[in-house]
Amino acid sequence: MEAESHSVLLVSRDNKIITQISAFLVPPLFDLTTTTDFNEARRLATERTFNIIIADSGDGYDTDFAINIADSYSTVLLLVPNEHFDEISYRVEGYGILTATKPFEPFYFYNMVKIAIAVQYKVQILSSQTIKLKNKMEEIRIVNRAKLLLIEHLKMTEAEAHRYLEKEAMDRGLKRIALAQEVIKTYEN
């Protein structure tokens, strides 16, 4: 497998943290965008999807940004002061936010980034599966609606309507959903 670049947004008001993290999240493995402004980070996160968003919580209680972006497809890694780690980690873990202590050892932090990458891959897989399931459910809904219309208008049984849709779609080289949509268009006002 060829190594791909991981897009990372780092938001921190602490230039020392930005410098530390920038030192080992380097191209070509990482495409790092940094900002010291949380409003700018919000704007960037809405304009572009980042694989990982690293947010420095400052004194530990500035977690609003991380919570607000937690419902995005990005994996969020929140940096919190060691003395507030348990409290804040417990508060944000329900949002799917990973937490790491600061100050941090580079090896420990890099391992947290690797965990964030693994989580990101899992999110992508689950998102893809969710989309497939939603599409399948929508197809079932449309086909069932078409069957109901065939039962109402052509006095077919459910089995006959099912067989009709299957056979007609196969005979005409159509997908079942396309034929179901034709039936709906024909019989609905």
Side-chain angles (χ1 to χ4, degrees):
M1 182 174 163
E2 187 177 315
E4 64 181 75
S5 181
H6 304 284
S7 59
V8 180
L9 173 61
L10 168 60
V11 56
S12 175
R13 293 183 182 108
D14 186 339
N15 285 326
K16 182 180 175 187
I17 287 179
I18 291 174
T19 301
Q20 283 179 314
I21 293 173
S22 296
F24 58 89
L25 296 185
V26 295
L29 191 54
F30 296 98
D31 173 19
L32 180 63
T33 303
T34 63
T35 182
T36 58
D37 182 349
F38 282 86
N39 289 325
E40 173 73 4
R42 277 184 186 85
R43 185 186 63 74
L44 290 168
T46 59
E47 291 176 357
R48 176 179 170 196
T49 300
F50 291 91
N51 298 116
I52 302 168
I53 297 176
I54 302 170
D56 177 7
S57 71
D59 64 2
Y61 294 103
D62 185 17
T63 59
D64 292 344
F65 171 76
I67 291 170
N68 289 340
I69 61 165
D71 63 352
S72 70
Y73 287 110
S74 303
T75 299
V76 180
L77 177 57
L78 182 64
L79 302 176
V80 298
N82 193 32
E83 61 271 15
H84 301 299
F85 179 79
D86 288 333
E87 172 192 347
I88 293 171
S89 178
Y90 180 76
R91 185 168 17 129
V92 301
E93 67 188 11
Y95 296 97
I97 297 171
L98 302 173
T99 51
T101 59
K102 64 176 190 174
F104 52 81
E105 292 293 321
F107 177 77
Y108 167 74
F109 184 77
Y110 188 74
N111 282 332
M112 286 300 296
V113 170
K114 297 299 280 179
I115 289 168
I117 291 169
V119 168
Q120 182 61 36
Y121 282 129
K122 193 66 168 176
V123 166
Q124 289 172 353
I125 289 167
L126 292 174
S127 295
S128 173
Q129 289 173 342
T130 300
I131 290 168
K132 286 177 187 174
L133 284 173
K134 283 181 179 179
N135 289 341
K136 186 65 177 171
M137 288 173 55
E138 179 65 9
E139 179 181 335
I140 290 168
R141 187 188 68 73
I142 290 170
V143 168
N144 284 341
R145 180 71 186 138
K147 284 183 198 177
L148 182 63
L149 290 169
L150 290 171
I151 291 168
E152 286 176 7
H153 292 276
L154 300 181
K155 307 300 183 218
M156 292 182 177
T157 65
E158 194 276 336
E160 291 170 336
H162 179 81
R163 171 91 173 108
Y164 172 81
L165 290 172
E166 293 286 323
K167 184 174 181 338
E168 188 70 17
M170 190 170 48
D171 290 349
R172 292 176 50 195
L174 295 173
K175 289 191 175 197
R176 198 170 53 144
I177 190 168
L179 180 63
Q181 288 168 332
E182 280 183 20
V183 168
I184 291 169
K185 195 182 278 187
T186 301
Y187 293 108
E188 276 194 338
N189 297 345

